[in-house]
Amino acid sequence: MESRENPNQSSANASEPIWRRLEASTGARGTVTVTVDGQPQCVPAGITLATALLCSGARTFQRNPAGNDPRAPYCMMGACFECLVDVDGEVHTQSCMVVVREGMNVRTGRSVTEPGGDPA
């Protein structure tokens, strides 16, 4: 039996983004600047915040309250609530359902049990 490399496995460095944007995938032109955990990020206009964060290399969007384990987007369509972040002071925002806009201020890494309420 011939041995083949699994195309789903990546030998890329763990610090490299696991997502990349295909240039023709959106009709939007230009970029916007969003601040993520105090760091300005220049991202393509017209994409969701979750996509922008993943393309920027974000690995942890929130923390599991039971074991403080890192959580990140799973479904990318608003069903799983794994992509919760704080946006402009609004806690527990589903980042997969929000389009980036100029000046957006984003905080990641919060546990859903931290002050700010329960997302449910």
Side-chain angles (χ1 to χ4, degrees):
M1 182 173 184
E2 186 178 333
S3 174
R4 293 187 184 178
E5 199 172 309
N6 183 342
N8 295 322
Q9 290 180 334
S10 174
S11 60
N13 184 336
S15 65
E16 293 178 13
I18 58 173
W19 292 76
R20 66 181 172 88
R21 179 177 177 265
L22 299 176
E23 293 306 316
S25 65
T26 69
R29 300 256 191 273
T31 60
V32 296
T33 301
V34 298
T35 302
V36 180
D37 298 326
Q39 300 296 314
Q41 301 278 335
C42 188
V43 300
I47 64 175
T48 66
L49 178 56
T51 301
L53 292 171
L54 289 168
C55 288
S56 296
R59 297 279 198 262
T60 301
F61 283 48
Q62 65 170 322
R63 297 242 169 226
N64 181 310
N68 205 36
D69 296 323
R71 310 303 292 170
Y74 180 71
C75 71
M76 297 297 283
M77 63 181 190
C80 73
F81 291 85
E82 295 294 321
C83 65
L84 298 178
V85 297
D86 297 350
V87 177
D88 296 330
E90 188 75 30
V91 298
H92 309 307
T93 302
Q94 287 179 278
S95 60
C96 70
M97 302 300 289
V98 176
V99 175
V100 294
R101 63 182 179 280
E102 185 65 38
M104 190 178 260
N105 190 5
V106 181
R107 178 181 170 210
T108 65
R110 174 194 289 272
S111 169
V112 296
T113 59
E114 283 185 41
D118 189 331

